[in-house]
Amino acid sequence: SPNDYEATVSVSGEGEVLAVPDIGKFSFSVNAEGKTAIEAQEASGTAINDIMAFLREQGIEENDIKTQSYNQYPKYRWEERICPFGSYCPPGERIQDGFEVTQTVSVKVRDTDEAGAVIAGVGERGATNISGLNFTIDDMEALRSEARELAIEDAKAKAELLANQLGVDLVRIVSFNENGGYPPYFEERAFMAMDSAESGFGGAELPVGEESTKVSVNITYEIE
């Protein structure tokens, strides 16, 4: 019935938090070959262990070093057949020629001032496919929570102002929606990692920029 109808007002609010990134992230690969699978594994392990020891020396914690992938596969070479001129020559043959192991590792650097030197040192120790260095916030959820709180405060202030202008009272919240989950907006400068310190990258000061995280909410109030 009409008497059961609840009068409501809806308001939206937005919160934005700016923060300086506190960690740097990059990844690298190590490739190793051997005549047998065991030889390839041992060569890979030796190279990885050398890099891991270096990372620990730089103060990188174990839980900030993660293996993303580990692949082992046979290598092949194509052997052409030598045939007399003018005679039928069958196609060449693919022959297995040892094994290759590729391991990809991601690293989180908490001392952003040392990120360039860490990447350079990894490259000097045989790492390949070193990714670009990305600066980001380690605890993004805390940043979103802070932005959400600001958005709710913004919406409440708008609701109170609107109720005053309409001459009504806010009774209770009947619905709440968060248009969150936005990926953070990055205002940062990207730097490609170099394979060695000879490039000068290792001693460079890397500006980390700033990140902006936004959350918007919509709150519906019952009024009377």
Side-chain angles (χ1 to χ4, degrees):
S1 66
N3 291 333
D4 296 330
Y5 175 75
E6 293 181 351
T8 61
V9 293
S10 293
V11 291
S12 60
E14 185 173 87
E16 179 180 11
V17 176
L18 299 175
V20 175
D22 56 2
I23 60 169
K25 288 182 176 180
F26 73 95
S27 64
F28 66 88
S29 297
V30 169
N31 298 315
E33 300 178 0
K35 292 182 179 180
T36 66
I38 293 177
E39 286 183 8
Q41 292 166 7
E42 290 178 346
S44 174
T46 298
I48 282 289
N49 289 341
D50 184 34
I51 293 175
M52 293 301 182
F54 165 75
L55 291 175
R56 286 190 288 270
E57 289 171 2
Q58 302 306 303
I60 310 297
E61 298 180 4
E62 292 287 345
N63 58 359
D64 288 334
I65 306 171
K66 299 185 184 301
T67 297
Q68 292 183 318
S69 65
Y70 183 96
N71 296 299
Q72 175 183 295
Y73 43 87
K75 291 177 55 189
Y76 294 92
R77 60 182 174 83
W78 191 259
E79 188 173 275
E80 299 289 346
R81 298 183 184 278
I82 300 176
C83 307
F85 179 75
S87 64
Y88 169 73
C89 188
E93 183 180 5
R94 192 177 71 152
I95 298 176
Q96 185 176 329
D97 187 21
F99 289 82
E100 183 171 357
V101 171
T102 300
Q103 186 169 348
T104 301
V105 177
S106 64
V107 181
K108 187 184 295 185
V109 185
R110 296 185 181 276
D111 186 351
T112 56
D113 291 339
E114 297 298 321
V118 171
I119 288 182
V122 167
E124 290 173 347
R125 287 160 177 78
T128 61
N129 299 326
I130 303 177
S131 71
L133 178 62
N134 293 316
F135 293 105
T136 187
I137 301 294
D138 191 29
D139 190 353
M140 286 303 305
E141 189 51 45
L143 207 60
R144 292 190 185 98
S145 179
E146 186 177 347
R148 182 185 302 112
E149 185 175 346
L150 293 175
I152 291 172
E153 291 176 0
D154 182 35
K156 284 182 176 180
K158 290 178 179 177
E160 291 170 357
L161 176 60
L162 182 59
N164 183 58
Q165 292 173 334
L166 293 173
V168 298
D169 293 323
L170 301 174
V171 179
R172 63 187 179 91
I173 295 175
V174 295
S175 71
F176 172 86
N177 292 299
E178 178 181 335
N179 302 319
Y182 296 132
Y185 174 68
F186 300 96
E187 290 184 353
E188 62 177 355
R189 287 162 287 278
F191 289 83
M192 294 305 294
M194 304 299 181
D195 281 349
S196 74
E198 295 177 0
S199 63
F201 181 81
E205 181 179 345
L206 305 178
V208 297
E210 194 172 57
E211 289 185 9
S212 169
T213 297
K214 293 182 179 180
V215 171
S216 63
V217 299
N218 186 271
I219 303 177
T220 300
Y221 289 87
E222 178 187 347
I223 59 174
E224 63 177 14

